[in-house]
Amino acid sequence: MTTWHSEGVRIRRMVPEDYEEAYALWERTPGMHLQQLNNTYGGIALLLRENPDTCFVATDPDGHVIATALGANDGRKGYLYHVAVDEQWRGHGIGTSLINRIYDVFKAIGIVKIGILVVADNYEGQEFWKKQGWNTRPDVIYFDHEL
Ligand SMILES: CC(C)(COP(=O)(O)OP(=O)(O)OC[C@H]1O[C@@H](n2cnc3c(N)ncnc32)[C@H](O)[C@@H]1OP(=O)(O)O)[C@@H](O)C(=O)NCCC(=O)NCCS
């Protein structure tokens, strides 16, 4: 596997100015099931404001966003959102490197458990998480509610 380092890819914190390119990536990535309500510019800017150290992008040699992984925590658990790598950049370890960056920050602040919601028909995504050592929770049913 060629590593992303040698391909001129950089990983850095995501900033609100990345929104347009990140959103375009999420829109063209099957399996993301983008909800409109909290994926607006304002919604993502709020996430970045509250979690500036755990939201990352990877950029190509021209500086364009080719991958994202957003980490958030509420002081009890950490959550991952929008882990996506553009199709032509997959298999270089970029996804793993992004989430490892988030793990490092969570561990440093004492967050010891993390979760992610994966849509039921995203089998590839589920395989990725299993390969990363994550477990499913068939004993839990997820509820949500709009305010
Ligand atoms: C899942 C995803 C983020 C992986 O990104 P990536 O940069 O290609 O992943 P990596 O190169 O770090 O791969 C890490 C390992 O997982 C494996 N892997 C990656 N995608 C996989 C898949 N779909 N099925 C099985 N294994 C997979 C790789 O083979 C690699 O294993 P290795 O270390 O033994 O070679 C990327 O495929 C993607 O964006 N998918 C669409 C969006 C999505 O489903 N996101 C996750 C669910 S929310």
Side-chain angles (χ1 to χ4, degrees):
M1 176 167 92
T2 320
T3 65
W4 53 272
H5 303 272
S6 58
E7 302 278 338
V9 170
R10 280 187 59 223
I11 289 179
R12 60 166 171 79
R13 288 180 188 172
M14 182 171 174
V15 291
E17 291 72 23
D18 294 316
Y19 175 77
E20 210 170 302
E21 289 193 7
Y23 191 87
L25 165 67
W26 303 333
E27 262 192 322
R28 66 177 176 266
T29 302
M32 298 294 293
H33 286 236
L34 267 191
Q35 302 289 318
Q36 295 310 312
L37 198 64
N38 46 12
N39 286 304
T40 58
Y41 175 85
I44 296 298
L46 180 60
L47 180 77
L48 298 177
R49 194 185 76 200
E50 297 293 317
N51 302 275
D53 299 328
T54 49
C55 294
F56 295 97
V57 294
T59 56
D60 70 11
D62 296 324
H64 296 296
V65 172
I66 53 155
T68 61
L70 311 185
N73 91 86
D74 55 18
R76 175 179 159 85
K77 275 183 79 173
Y79 299 91
L80 300 188
Y81 301 101
H82 297 2
V83 178
V85 176
D86 220 351
E87 200 155 4
Q88 70 268 32
W89 286 98
R90 290 183 192 163
H92 293 263
I94 297 172
T96 303
S97 298
L98 285 167
I99 62 175
N100 283 340
R101 291 284 286 266
I102 299 173
Y103 292 172
D104 288 345
V105 181
F106 280 160
K107 281 192 248 173
I109 60 180
I111 297 290
V112 294
K113 195 154 198 182
I114 47 178
I116 186 166
L117 295 172
V118 180
V119 285
D121 63 1
N122 182 0
Y123 303 110
E124 286 192 9
Q126 292 172 41
E127 286 310 309
F128 174 76
W129 293 112
K130 284 180 193 161
K131 193 142 194 196
Q132 296 288 330
W134 288 52
N135 302 308
T136 53
R137 287 292 302 270
D139 55 322
V140 170
I141 295 176
Y142 177 71
F143 283 64
D144 75 2
H145 178 62
E146 284 182 20
L147 297 178

